[in-house]
């Protein structure tokens, strides 16, 4: 990887509003990671956005004075051919599909969220077949490439790729890097001086250790009720007594499981007033693309941090850099379980600290796994594995089992209603369920 010709990176979903973040990351890291070719690829429906964001990327590169050739294309094969890294940041069905994922469950009294529950399931069913199709291209045209997947639900789709392709893939999320920044900020130290430990799977993890300069700060954080959140999750607080007895800091996504009633009320209220998160994101994106059109804009605009995925590109570029330079640093990634957790399948995707080498990430077993979180982890992982099977097979019965066994779905009857309505709403993107 990385001969004298320099690196080639293909970004699948290059018309995303996040693209300026990753471009900024490549510019900042150019000395360690000399990128020569950046290919931003999208589909016909995303061409308008690709042109806008791609031209901003070209202006950013020119302004920084780094010799990166930025290519905009709808030809995925050309983008992937000979790539060292392929990153994915896709949204199959665009934001309209996300709106349906969030709105439909709420009308049936169920949490409507883009990565968990029925909404997350639909996103996975739409995404997995497309991603596996991309994997066929990578196997053929760039067999040595690393695929870094940021497409949500990141854990499920990363596991699908591992199970159903030969591509070297790693999933990543901005939630762990957000916590690392939060911890460094709390104690006024650099990020290099903190080491949190994460137990769980993507969007379902617990922080079980928070070392600052080698000293454990978790009890102190729990005493002070200090937790972190993100722009895409309501900032409702945790119960202090619950956190103390939990002995860990839950990711903000666990509010959907631990505070289901309050979170549902918040969502239902938002839907009637100014829409769910998908509606908010639509407005933020429209504003961002107006900014991106400005020919005088030559850097990533600050407003991009309003999107829920702030710092994702930092995570993506950090990972690329470590794989490329064999850095042996610790990053929190989505990788196969192996024998890290004896209560989850060997091939399950988990989110855990890893030492990153040129050969790939080496997962580090957490020192402490609280007994009381194992049941929820196992239940959600069962739903995830059924969802992968349903996405690949198009089997409605397996899809029903996945829906029924998600902890946020209250009954078989509600599951059947949701499944029928949501499959139909996604018919255009789910041909595997509508074979004639």
């Amino acid at each position: 990887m990385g001969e004298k010709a320099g690196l080639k990176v293909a970004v699948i979903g290059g018309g995303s509003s996040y693209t300026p973040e990753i471009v900024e990351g490549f510019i900042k890291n150019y000395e360690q990671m000399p990128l020569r070719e950046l290919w931003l690829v999208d589909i016909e429906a995303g061409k308008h956005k690709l042109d806008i964001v791609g031209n901003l990327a070209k202006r950013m590169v020119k302004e920084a004075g780094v010799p990166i050739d930025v290519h905009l294309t709808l030809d995925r094969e050309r983008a992937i051919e000979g790539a060292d890294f392929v990153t994915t940041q896709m949204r199959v069905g665009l934001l309209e599909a996300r709106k349906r994922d969030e709105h439909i469950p709420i009308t049936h009294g169920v949490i409507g969220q883009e990565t968990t529950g029925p909404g997350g399931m639909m996103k996975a069913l739409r995404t997995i077949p497309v991603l596996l199709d991309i994997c066929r291209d990578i196997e053929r045209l760039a067999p040595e490439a690393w695929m870094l997947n940021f497409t949500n639900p990141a854990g499920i789709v990363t596991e699908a790729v591992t199970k159903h392709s030969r591509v070297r893939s790693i999933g990543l999320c901005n939630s762990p890097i957000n916590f690392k920044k939060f911890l460094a900020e709390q104690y006024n130290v650099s990020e290099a001086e903190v080491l949190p430990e994460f137990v769980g799977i993507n969007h379902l993890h617990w922080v079980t250790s928070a070392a600052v300069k080698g000293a454990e700060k978790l009890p102190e954080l729990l005493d002070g009720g200090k937790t972190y959140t993100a722009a895409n999750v309501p900032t409702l607080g945790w119960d202090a007594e619950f956190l103390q007895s939990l002995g860990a800091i839950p990711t903000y996504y666990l509010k959907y499981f631990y505070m289901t009633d309050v979170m549902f009320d918040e969502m239902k209220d938002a839907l009637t007033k100014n829409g769910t998160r998908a509606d908010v994101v639509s407005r933020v994106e429209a504003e961002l693309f107006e900014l991106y059109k400005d020919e005088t804009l030559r850097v990533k605009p600050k407003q991009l941090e309003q999107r829920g995925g702030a710092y994702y590109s930092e995570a993506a570029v950090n990972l690329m850099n470590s794989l490329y330079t064999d850095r042996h640093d610790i990053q929190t990634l989505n990788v196969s379980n192996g024998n890290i957790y004896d209560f989850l399948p060997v091939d399950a995707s988990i989110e855990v600290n890893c030492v990153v080498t040129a050969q790939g990430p080496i997962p580090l077993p957490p020192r402490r796994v609280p007994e009381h979180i194992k049941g929820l982890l196992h239940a959600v992982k069962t739903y995830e594995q059924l969802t992968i099977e349903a996405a690949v097979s198009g089997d409605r019965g397996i899809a029903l089992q996945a829906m029924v066994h998600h902890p946020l779905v209250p009954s078989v009857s509600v599951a059947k209603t949701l499944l029928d309505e949501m499959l139909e709403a996604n018919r255009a993107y789910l041909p595997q369920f509508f074979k004639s």
Side-chain angles (χ1 to χ4, degrees), residues 250-377:
T251 175
Y252 33 86
Y253 285 97
L254 274 155
K255 289 179 181 178
Y256 299 114
F257 296 85
Y258 289 143
M259 299 162 56
T260 313
D261 52 352
V262 185
M263 294 296 277
F264 176 76
D265 289 346
E266 171 96 8
M267 283 179 167
K268 193 176 177 185
D269 190 47
L271 181 60
T272 55
K273 287 181 179 164
N274 62 348
T276 60
R277 180 67 191 165
D279 300 284
V280 174
V281 166
S282 290
R283 294 191 285 272
V284 171
E285 280 218 336
E287 288 166 20
L288 283 171
F289 277 97
E290 280 307 308
L291 280 174
Y292 293 171
K293 284 179 190 172
D294 180 357
E295 294 288 329
T296 64
L297 182 68
R298 292 182 165 85
V299 292
K300 180 193 82 176
K302 195 81 181 139
Q303 291 92 324
L304 182 49
E305 284 166 27
Q306 292 178 321
R307 285 287 270 115
Y311 308 120
Y312 111 80
S313 73
E314 192 176 322
V317 176
N318 274 350
L319 177 53
M320 270 185 232
N321 203 339
S322 295
L323 289 165
Y324 176 64
T325 59
D326 199 24
R327 200 159 51 177
H328 288 71
D329 59 337
I330 295 173
Q331 297 183 29
T332 313
L333 305 167
N334 286 270
V335 294
S336 285
N337 176 35
N339 56 8
I340 300 287
Y341 299 131
D342 59 4
F343 58 95
L344 291 182
V346 171
D347 58 2
S349 171
I350 61 171
E351 192 161 81
V352 67
N353 284 349
C354 301
V355 175
V356 186
T357 76
Q359 282 72 46
I362 301 166
L364 300 170
R367 288 165 294 175
R368 181 172 71 88
V369 181
E371 278 300 317
H372 41 275
I373 70 174
K374 291 180 181 177
L376 180 55
L377 266 174

Side-chain angles (χ1 to χ4, degrees), residues 114-126:
E114 73 151 339
T115 65
T116 193
M121 179 177 166
M122 288 301 132
K123 192 172 197 307
L125 294 181
R126 290 192 303 269

